[in-house]
């Protein structure tokens, strides 16, 4: 299934994308797409619905983040060897874990706002993992059973804040609008092999990132298992799993986002995003 949340910010309704690519309303079935709807039993009930009987949503409404009530927004850094090289960093021996503020989460096509004083804002197409059932000290073998599904994420990053203003990355990762997620949450049963998904990002119509999840240093199963050793993963938690090469920081000379830039990005089977870069505004 492709689950969505659509409508104005803060007033999103639950929905799904049917087999013909049409948006159907789920408001009469579930109150939202949040932690309570992400477990295997809840998803199984949704799969039994006759989608052609659900109300058809007309027009092209705004898509919000496909998951409501995200408790933790966890990120993995330097998870592609070629991206680590372009960043001038060694290949990590263990997953690099940091946090993105949940307040940065937004819809996939909402504008990305440059933070006040930003001079090095950057892009990162990434595979997002949405947890469906509580995971604590889970094995790699069992890890994917705790996943509800997957989504496209742009891990927008301010490199000066991230790398030049102290040892913690979080300052450059959690700025408002720096976490576009969606357009859909694709349930794990629809993804035959999560370690074989192509991914891309264009800046102003020019391809800058091309990659595939097969080149991850640490697989999704490894990441879920690893993170669950240090914190309990709860339904609705999101893990963004690293980016392939082609970010602005790695270019020669480096290239960073400016007002009016347009980012388009996508992952095979998970849908596409489009963001216009706008200046800071309180």
């Amino acid at each position: 299934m492709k689950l969505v949340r659509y409508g104005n910010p803060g007033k999103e309704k639950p929905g799904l994308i049917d087999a013909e690519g049409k948006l159907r309303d789920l408001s009469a079935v579930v109150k939202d797409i949040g932690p309570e709807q992400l477990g295997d039993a809840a998803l199984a009930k949704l799969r039994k619905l006759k989608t052609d009987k659900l109300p058809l949503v007309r027009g092209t409404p705004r898509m919000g983040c496909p998951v409501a009530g995200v408790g933790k927004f966890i990120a993995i850094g330097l998870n592609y060897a070629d991206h680590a090289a372009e960043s001038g960093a060694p290949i990590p021996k263990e997953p690099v874990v940091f946090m993105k503020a949940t307040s940065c989460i937004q819809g996939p096509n909402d504008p990305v706002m440059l933070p006040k004083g930003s001079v090095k804002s950057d892009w990162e197409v990434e595979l997002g993992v949405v947890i469906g059932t509580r995971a604590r000290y889970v094995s790699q073998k069992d890890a994917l059973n705790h996943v509800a599904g997957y989504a496209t994420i742009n891990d927008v990053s301010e490199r000066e804040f991230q790398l030049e203003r102290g040892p913690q990355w979080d300052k450059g990762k959690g700025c408002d609008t720096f976490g576009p997620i969606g357009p859909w949450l694709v349930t794990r049963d629809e993804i035959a092999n999560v370690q074989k998904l192509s991914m891309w990002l264009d800046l102003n119509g020019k391809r800058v990132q091309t990659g595939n999840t097969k080149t991850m240093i640490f697989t999704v199963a490894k990441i879920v298992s690893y993170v669950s050793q240090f914190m309990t993963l709860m339904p609705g938690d999101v893990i963004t799993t690293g980016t392939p090469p082609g970010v602005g920081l790695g270019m020669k000379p480096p290239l960073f986002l400016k007002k009016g830039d347009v980012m388009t990005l996508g992952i095979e089977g998970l849908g596409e995003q489009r963001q216009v870069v706008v200046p800071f505004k309180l």
Side-chain angles (χ1 to χ4, degrees):
M1 290 182 294
K2 294 181 175 69
L3 300 174
V4 302
R5 297 173 66 249
Y6 69 95
N8 293 329
K11 297 181 179 180
E12 292 93 347
K13 296 180 179 181
L16 61 76
I17 306 298
D18 68 16
E20 297 180 353
K22 296 178 180 178
L23 174 58
R24 301 280 180 170
D25 182 57
L26 281 175
S27 297
V29 181
V30 292
K31 63 180 181 180
D32 211 338
I33 305 298
E36 295 178 3
Q37 290 76 40
L38 297 176
D40 289 346
L43 291 175
K45 289 182 180 179
L46 292 179
R47 287 191 192 94
K48 293 178 181 179
L49 294 173
K50 295 182 178 180
T51 56
D52 60 337
K53 303 298 182 182
L54 295 171
L56 185 64
V57 180
R58 304 291 180 181
T60 54
R62 169 191 173 269
M63 290 294 175
C65 172
V67 182
V70 175
K72 294 191 289 294
F73 194 2
I74 304 155
I76 307 299
L78 305 174
N79 196 30
Y80 291 73
D82 33 15
H83 171 59
E86 73 174 353
S87 301
I91 296 175
K93 296 180 180 179
E94 295 187 40
V96 175
V97 180
F98 60 95
M99 307 295 285
K100 286 178 73 79
T102 54
S103 55
C104 81
I105 294 172
Q106 64 169 16
N109 303 315
D110 294 340
V112 163
M113 181 178 67
L114 296 173
K116 189 175 183 179
S118 169
V119 293
K120 296 183 180 181
S121 288
D122 205 348
W123 55 86
E124 295 189 7
V125 59
E126 303 199 4
L127 170 71
V129 179
V130 179
I131 300 299
T133 56
R134 182 177 180 272
R136 182 169 179 259
Y137 291 100
V138 298
S139 66
Q140 286 191 57
K141 182 179 179 180
D142 190 46
L144 295 188
N145 293 328
H146 293 268
V147 173
Y150 305 97
T152 301
I153 292 179
N154 190 354
D155 176 21
V156 187
S157 310
E158 213 298 342
R159 302 301 187 188
E160 184 186 46
F161 297 179
Q162 175 191 353
L163 302 172
E164 300 174 36
R165 298 183 63 176
Q168 299 298 324
W169 286 11
D170 300 40
K171 286 184 286 188
K173 293 287 190 172
C175 303
D176 290 349
T177 76
F178 272 24
I181 302 178
W184 317 309
L185 165 63
V186 181
T187 52
R188 73 173 189 268
D189 59 298
E190 288 206 8
I191 304 300
N193 184 355
V194 73
Q195 299 303 153
K196 196 176 180 181
L197 301 177
S198 59
M199 53 206 307
W200 57 272
L201 186 145
D202 291 352
L203 179 67
N204 300 323
K206 179 181 178 181
R207 184 63 46 92
V208 290
Q209 283 191 280
T210 302
N212 194 293
T213 57
K214 67 184 179 183
T215 65
M216 282 182 173
I217 298 169
F218 305 106
T219 65
V220 172
K222 170 64 177 180
I223 289 167
V224 173
S225 174
Y226 182 86
V227 174
S228 78
Q229 299 176 41
F230 302 101
M231 62 191 84
T232 299
L233 297 172
M234 301 298 292
D237 286 350
V238 174
I239 306 174
T240 189
T241 57
T243 197
V247 300
L249 176 68
M251 294 184 176
K252 297 181 180 180
L255 178 66
F256 298 112
L257 296 170
K258 64 183 185 305
K259 174 185 173 182
D261 282 345
V262 178
M263 294 176 283
T264 51
L265 58 146
I267 298 178
E268 181 181 354
L270 302 183
E272 299 181 6
Q273 302 184 354
R274 180 183 186 276
Q275 298 110 28
V276 177
V277 178
V278 298
F280 173 79
K281 182 180 179 181
L282 282 174

